[in-house]
Amino acid sequence: MEITITDEEWNELAPENFDTTALLRAVDAVDELRGDLNDGENGGPPQLRIDLLKLHQLAMAVFNEGSRSQVADLFEFAVDLEDQVLGMTNALEQVQDTLSQLTALYPESLSYAGLDDPQAD
């Protein structure tokens, strides 16, 4: 089955409507996340998971056990993790923005060809 799109749709797929290097920047953004979300050595959990459990331990000490001596540690660590997660969020937003720019160019005629229906195969 030959798939065709209209000339108007084809014209929308011009380089000025989508910079393909944006996809490479999205790959770079994912690479940034790998360090935060990769399994540790010998299949251990990602460092972020370990850090969140440590934060939980500090929060338990402060909120549930009344440990005033750990308040500063709790909030310093929480701010550090918040910064790290904000960086991860920004990286994911970059990926999302790139994908949204690309999918906004989805030729309407392709949806009529059954390409967007996974059951069509």
Side-chain angles (χ1 to χ4, degrees):
M1 172 171 114
E2 184 177 325
I3 299 169
T4 59
I5 61 174
T6 67
D7 289 341
E8 184 178 325
E9 291 170 334
W10 177 250
N11 291 337
E12 285 296 311
L13 302 181
E16 59 269 8
N17 290 332
F18 185 75
D19 177 11
T20 59
T21 59
L23 290 169
L24 294 177
R25 287 190 298 275
V27 170
D28 289 341
V30 169
D31 284 343
E32 289 177 29
L33 295 171
R34 290 177 65 197
D36 295 317
L37 299 176
N38 248 356
D39 284 347
E41 291 182 28
N42 301 318
Q47 187 62 44
L48 180 60
R49 183 180 191 282
I50 293 167
D51 289 345
L52 286 169
L53 287 172
K54 179 180 175 184
L55 185 64
H56 174 261
Q57 197 172 32
L58 286 168
M60 290 283 293
V62 170
F63 291 101
N64 296 350
E65 299 164 13
S67 177
R68 288 182 179 210
S69 65
Q70 294 188 41
V71 170
D73 291 341
L74 168 69
F75 287 101
E76 286 174 23
F77 198 49
V79 167
D80 289 345
L81 285 178
E82 183 179 34
D83 289 344
Q84 180 182 358
V85 170
L86 180 60
M88 294 168 62
T89 301
N90 291 339
L92 283 173
E93 285 175 352
Q94 179 182 349
V95 172
Q96 177 62 46
D97 289 347
T98 300
L99 293 173
S100 292
Q101 289 171 5
L102 179 58
T103 58
L105 299 172
Y106 193 109
E108 205 175 301
S109 61
L110 290 182
S111 63
Y112 299 116
L115 292 182
D116 62 352
D117 183 7
Q119 301 297 328
D121 292 333

